Amino acid sequence: MTTKSAAKKETGQSLPLQEPQAKGTVFAILIAISFVHLFNDSIQSVIPAIFPILKESMNLNYTQIGWISFAINFTASIMQPVIGLFSDKRPTPAILPIGMGFTLTGMLLLAYAPDYKAVLLAVIFVGLGSAAFHPEGSRVSHMAAGSRRGLAQSIFQVGGNAGQSLAPMLTSWIFIPLGQFGAIWFTGIAAAGIVVQSFIARWYGNVLRTEGFARKKAVARRIKPEVRNRIMFAMIVLILLVFVRSWYSTSVGSYYAFYLMEVFKMPLADAQLYIFLFLGAGALGTFFGGPLADRFGKRNMIFLSMVLAAPLALLLPYANQFWTAILLPIIGFIMLSSFSITVVYAQMLVPGKIGTVSGLITGLAFGLGGVGALVLGNWIDKLGITNIMFLCGFLPLLGILTFLLPTDKTLNRWAEENGAEV
């Protein structure tokens, strides 16, 4: 009996399926998956971009707007971990173009939606498309990363954040002149996404066939109960930090334009430009955050992204129009610099479950943001938008909880003790 067989018999355990690793960093695939992430999230950003149009044309209140945001984000949140768990057990490249097909269907429905219920159905389709894309997209990024996982995840995530940053500009360029029917243009983007996804899926399938998908179980030592408990606690803390960051970002992305219009009497197009500054700077922060985390540590960057943004977020409600334009992009750059890092950190925390963990973290980023949007919309209707924007400024202070997370060195030690690869 071999050592592996003996160990397996002794422990009675097996590790999760191991993903094949591409040799070296495959930048062509990373750039392609980043572009598709841009397509996916720019389409998803249509939903908040069209809020002002829907609010006026369908006479919606803030709570109803919150329900629309909740519908798309919660759909993506629930389904991402499910798809990630499935793909960890059975990688399926075809999920990538199929998911974009759901997105195309959602945008077609949105363009012709005659009422509020039809809008909710349309955004659920878009949410399902996003849920299908993110876990498998993150896996492709992981497979193409080689040894540069922080950089690879940043390249992947910067496409998504860049797509989200387009939301305010879409309002100005498309929805103000064309109204709700402007959503029809994004069916073309979805169709282009299906073409690129088909190319990526072909590469993905070739890697699975060439490298082989190891269904043999690797040997693992039994994880000590105290370590397992610490891993579970760390995941809960990380999810809480994702929730805080997502809630603050949602408060700016979904409602801050209304705040600017009320406080500074801005026209909608000008208010959307300010939101673009926040989200566009956040996309840049996402790109630079990964390489910085590779050098200075992932936990350190998660902590700095929250704590450094906190005093600026507290100052923002007191800023005049000029300083608001200065503070918003700085806050966006700092806070969203940890967007990709939290995904890589979670993958280190639970190695071997790339799809499940990525779906859990990125799914929660959208889903918890949807919960936040729903709650904020209800509070704004009751307390006023100025008061709620002031209260949101305190959210980044919770970044101090990052000190409860284990260090990168501790995560590497746990992985070595349990025979896993991070």
Side-chain angles (χ1 to χ4, degrees):
M1 182 180 292
T2 64
T3 303
K4 281 188 176 182
S5 300
K8 182 176 178 181
K9 185 174 181 180
E10 181 181 344
T11 61
Q13 279 190 325
S14 59
L15 278 180
L17 303 179
Q18 303 297 307
E19 298 87 356
Q21 288 292 328
K23 297 178 181 179
T25 304
V26 188
F27 284 102
I29 293 298
L30 288 175
I31 292 171
I33 198 69
S34 182
F35 266 108
V36 175
H37 203 176
L38 187 150
F39 294 162
N40 181 88
D41 285 23
S42 65
I43 293 172
Q44 189 164 326
S45 72
V46 165
I47 309 308
I50 207 171
F51 283 169
I53 306 301
L54 295 176
K55 186 176 186 298
E56 182 177 348
S57 64
M58 296 186 179
N59 196 27
L60 306 180
N61 57 35
Y62 287 111
T63 301
Q64 289 174 309
I65 289 174
W67 274 112
I68 297 173
S69 183
F70 176 81
I72 183 172
N73 292 320
F74 191 70
T75 302
S77 172
I78 290 296
M79 293 305 298
Q80 279 193 46
V82 174
I83 292 172
L85 181 63
F86 170 80
S87 64
D88 278 334
K89 295 180 178 180
R90 187 187 178 109
T92 308
I95 288 177
L96 291 168
I98 290 172
M100 192 60 76
F102 275 94
T103 301
L104 190 154
T105 302
M107 295 314 296
L108 190 62
L109 289 174
L110 182 61
Y112 291 97
D115 54 30
Y116 178 62
K117 291 181 180 179
V119 170
L120 288 174
L121 178 62
V123 301
I124 287 172
F125 269 93
V126 177
L128 288 172
S130 180
F133 168 73
H134 282 95
E136 285 294 75
S138 191
R139 181 188 303 279
V140 168
S141 170
H142 182 80
M143 291 167 64
S147 62
R148 307 175 74 176
R149 295 184 184 174
L151 174 62
Q153 192 63 221
S154 286
I155 292 173
F156 171 63
Q157 296 292 354
V158 75
N161 282 10
Q164 293 173 37
S165 73
L166 292 175
M169 307 314 294
L170 296 177
T171 303
S172 298
W173 297 337
I174 296 177
F175 295 117
I176 290 178
L178 299 179
Q180 178 183 336
F181 186 72
I184 196 70
W185 290 99
F186 295 91
T187 58
I189 295 177
I194 291 173
V195 173
V196 180
Q197 291 280 56
S198 299
F199 163 76
I200 295 170
R202 192 178 304 116
W203 176 87
Y204 183 179
N206 287 338
V207 172
L208 291 177
R209 287 188 294 272
T210 303
E211 300 292 331
F213 187 74
R215 293 187 175 274
K216 295 179 180 179
K217 310 293 185 180
V219 183
R221 301 173 189 171
R222 189 176 299 277
I223 299 176
K224 298 177 182 178
E226 60 270 22
V227 174
R228 183 183 294 109
N229 292 338
R230 290 183 66 186
I231 290 174
M232 290 180 62
F233 177 76
M235 183 61 76
I236 291 171
V237 172
L238 188 64
I239 288 171
L240 179 59
L241 291 169
V242 169
F243 172 73
V244 170
R245 184 189 63 204
S246 178
W247 199 339
Y248 184 83
S249 298
T250 298
S251 73
V252 177
S254 295
Y255 297 111
Y256 207 75
F258 296 110
Y259 171 82
L260 294 171
M261 292 164 66
E262 180 174 313
V263 173
F264 298 119
K265 310 303 178 186
M266 289 186 189
L268 175 59
D270 290 349
Q272 293 292 343
L273 181 59
Y274 279 67
I275 310 306
F276 173 74
L277 291 175
F278 173 83
L279 297 173
L284 287 176
T286 298
F287 179 77
F288 286 105
L292 288 173
D294 283 340
R295 181 169 182 179
F296 298 109
K298 295 168 181 62
R299 191 188 77 158
N300 293 340
M301 283 300 299
I302 294 172
F303 172 73
L304 290 174
S305 74
M306 300 290 287
V307 172
L308 292 181
L312 302 179
L314 289 170
L315 284 173
L316 186 61
Y318 300 98
N320 59 24
Q321 188 169 332
F322 172 80
W323 282 106
T324 296
I326 300 297
L327 289 174
L328 275 174
I330 296 175
I331 295 170
F333 182 92
I334 295 173
M335 181 168 283
L336 295 181
S337 65
S338 65
F339 193 94
S340 62
I341 300 167
T342 51
V343 177
V344 178
Y345 184 94
Q347 291 171 354
M348 292 175 64
L349 195 61
V350 189
K353 291 286 189 179
I354 301 302
T356 304
V357 170
S358 300
L360 183 66
I361 295 299
T362 58
L364 281 171
F366 291 111
L368 294 178
V371 174
L374 178 59
V375 173
L376 287 174
N378 186 265
W379 287 355
I380 290 170
D381 280 332
K382 293 178 179 178
L383 303 175
I385 196 165
T386 303
N387 293 328
I388 298 305
M389 291 298 106
F390 171 79
L391 291 175
C392 287
F394 288 87
L395 288 172
L397 289 173
L398 293 174
I400 197 72
L401 295 175
T402 307
F403 277 120
L404 298 176
L405 295 175
T407 63
D408 295 34
K409 186 180 294 185
T410 299
L411 293 185
N412 286 325
R413 188 181 75 246
W414 289 348
E416 289 172 3
E417 288 175 353
N418 293 285
E421 199 178 306
V422 296

